[in-house]
Amino acid sequence: MSPRPETLAMIERLIAFDTTSRHSNLELIEYVRNYLADLGVESELVYNEDQSKANLYATLGPDDRRGIALSGHTDVVPVDGQKWTSEPFEARKRNGRLYGRGTSDMKSFIAVCLALAPEFLKGSIRIPLHLAFSYDEEVGCLGVRSLIDRLSSREIKPEACIIGEPTMMKVVRAHKGKLSYRCEVSGLESHSGMAHLGVNAVEAAAEVIAHLKSMARRFRDNGPYDPELSPPYTTVHTGVVQGGTQLNIVPKSCVFDFEFRHLPEDDPTALLREIQDFAAGLLPEMHAVSVRTGFHWVRLSHIPGFDTGEDAEVVQLAKSLTGANTTAKVSFGTEAGLFEQGGMPAVVCGPGSIEQAHKPDEFITLDQVAQCEKFLLRLFRHCWK
Ligand SMILES: [Zn+2]
């Protein structure tokens, strides 16, 4: 199957905006706003603090009822240091594939929504569709939070959300949550020959990191397990450590970053509490030397997990639109948990493969784009009278 020319043209247009998360996405957003305005559709923009980025929210159809949100992020990951065969911000068609940064993750989904919008508007609409396009997803699902805050306080908000992250058009109804933290350990410097007069921040950090590792082993060996997730248990991992300056100095500071990727039903604050309680147990020994030593915890990011029930309406709907009779769970994070927390149950279902996301020579097959068109056209029929 090959996609419509207007869809391909829209993908090309969107890829050409370099919306790497560190840049503004406003050019793309203004383009989309103007495009929708030409169709008679008004957009609402929700800006970040310094007005350099925005979420876009627009309703296709009547705005006096709830409807279904189609959600996608407009930002992409950097191409820095990656070897691309062609210019990453110019979509190139080659061998049934379309190459370019964001083709899979996830501008093609947004492009299909936009390219088909005129067709949807021609019908007699019973259930409205809402376009919810966010920024800063790739740096911790940051942008969409202000949009969801605004929506969730409204009387009329979408009753469900379809997030078009690349799943090869499979219906994904759950993924893990992720909580990541930085721990800054303050010790006391001294000559290493007089180590008893100092508090070794690197060693204190090492003990806490070792406890994190013991938690990781416990979850691996004792569960709880969800066999549909991979791996089927909560993982704990320390990814960065920095501390000490020289071997003959007892180090006064050490900083490390760690994360929990937890089963959707796990309470991440309980995981954090366990490690903080463990660290608190080290304090008496540290404070005996200096009360100014200790641990400082800084949250880096939190992406809630989500688990929409198999029999939830939006899962049933997505299954009927794709023709699938099964659902899947994935190991990457999305904005789905945030929509769910805002009272909008979500599924993830979009064209392309996560295997291609974030890589050099990212591509999407034209067949996937066409499958996504088919999915949306079926959704339109569901939403028309
Ligand atoms: Zn994505």
Side-chain angles (χ1 to χ4, degrees):
M1 275 206 311
S2 44
R4 301 174 176 207
E6 61 266 34
T7 299
L8 291 177
M10 183 60 81
I11 299 176
E12 264 168 52
R13 190 67 204 90
L14 298 187
I15 296 295
F17 295 105
D18 176 359
T19 50
T20 307
S21 310
R22 61 174 179 258
H23 301 316
S24 166
N25 73 337
L26 290 183
E27 273 184 45
L28 181 149
I29 291 292
E30 283 305 327
Y31 170 79
V32 174
R33 195 217 311 241
N34 289 331
Y35 172 85
L36 292 171
D38 287 345
L39 301 174
V41 175
E42 215 182 302
S43 298
E44 178 180 350
L45 303 194
V46 183
Y47 288 91
N48 66 348
E49 233 166 75
D50 68 6
Q51 314 271 305
S52 62
K53 298 173 186 180
N55 300 296
L56 180 146
Y57 186 75
T59 296
L60 310 178
D63 61 4
D64 61 347
R65 60 200 84 169
R66 298 188 67 188
I68 298 166
L70 299 172
S71 161
H73 60 84
T74 60
D75 62 320
V76 295
V77 294
V79 295
D80 308 338
Q82 295 188 337
K83 268 208 156 134
W84 282 70
T85 316
S86 55
E87 166 55 37
F89 298 104
E90 272 173 35
R92 290 273 168 88
K93 217 158 67 167
R94 223 165 44 225
N95 306 327
R97 294 169 168 181
L98 201 60
Y99 287 85
R101 171 56 86 227
T103 44
S104 265
D105 188 14
M106 55 175 293
K107 286 177 169 171
S108 293
F109 176 78
I110 294 177
V112 175
C113 294
L114 291 171
L116 295 186
E119 182 144 342
F120 181 60
L121 292 168
K122 276 187 219 147
S124 146
I125 301 169
R126 176 176 58 99
I127 301 170
L129 291 175
H130 311 277
L131 304 178
F133 300 151
S134 66
Y135 64 90
D136 279 358
E137 189 273 348
E138 296 288 6
V139 288
C141 298
L142 301 180
V144 77
R145 293 168 202 250
S146 57
L147 174 61
I148 289 173
D149 280 350
R150 194 180 281 195
L151 291 178
S152 57
S153 63
R154 283 187 187 161
E155 230 168 277
I156 300 172
K157 63 181 169 205
E159 61 190 320
C161 179
I162 297 171
I163 297 169
E165 291 273 7
T167 67
M168 295 295 282
M169 296 312 295
K170 290 198 176 73
V171 181
V172 166
R173 63 173 188 87
H175 63 61
K176 288 181 183 175
K178 180 180 120 175
L179 179 65
S180 61
Y181 259 82
R182 170 163 298 163
C183 179
E184 300 169 350
V185 188
S186 303
L188 180 69
E189 214 165 41
S190 74
H191 190 291
S192 62
M194 303 291 273
H196 64 293
L197 299 179
V199 175
N200 191 318
V202 167
E203 290 173 359
E207 289 193 78
V208 177
I209 292 168
H211 187 77
L212 287 166
K213 181 66 187 173
S214 77
M215 292 172 75
R217 290 199 182 97
R218 193 172 82 222
F219 300 135
R220 182 196 63 194
D221 297 341
N222 306 328
Y225 301 111
D226 179 340
E228 287 181 78
L229 288 165
S230 172
Y233 46 84
T234 293
T235 58
V236 187
H237 148 94
T238 304
V240 181
V241 189
Q242 276 170 326
T245 52
Q246 190 169 303
L247 184 57
N248 62 2
I249 301 173
V250 172
K252 69 166 182 208
S253 74
C254 187
V255 179
F256 62 95
D257 297 350
F258 63 98
E259 64 173 31
F260 303 104
R261 290 182 183 251
H262 62 87
L263 301 184
E265 65 270 23
D266 267 5
D267 173 11
T269 56
L271 299 171
L272 181 69
R273 211 176 315 117
E274 174 175 339
I275 196 62
Q276 287 179 325
D277 287 350
F278 176 85
L282 303 174
L283 284 177
E285 195 185 351
M286 295 162 73
H287 283 178
V289 181
S290 166
V291 290
R292 290 216 295 269
T293 59
F295 301 91
H296 181 62
W297 308 85
V298 183
R299 189 160 91 172
L300 298 178
S301 76
H302 177 223
I303 301 171
F306 92 109
D307 192 352
T308 306
E310 183 74 48
D311 34 74
E313 249 174 78
V314 65
V315 174
Q316 294 304 321
L317 173 65
K319 278 167 77 175
S320 74
L321 298 175
T322 58
N325 37 31
T326 56
T327 56
K329 300 183 179 183
V330 291
S331 44
F332 58 91
T334 72
E335 296 168 340
L338 294 164
F339 278 99
E340 192 174 68
Q341 286 183 347
M344 295 163 269
V347 292
V348 184
C349 182
S353 164
I354 197 70
E355 301 275 314
Q356 268 79 53
H358 302 195
K359 288 197 183 147
D361 289 339
E362 175 179 349
F363 69 83
I364 191 164
T365 65
L366 298 179
D367 181 64
Q368 277 293 302
V369 179
Q371 299 288 348
C372 182
E373 287 178 337
K374 202 168 106 184
F375 175 87
L376 278 190
L377 291 169
R378 283 186 176 169
L379 176 63
F380 294 173
R381 282 197 288 277
H382 169 82
C383 293
W384 286 329
K385 285 191 180 102

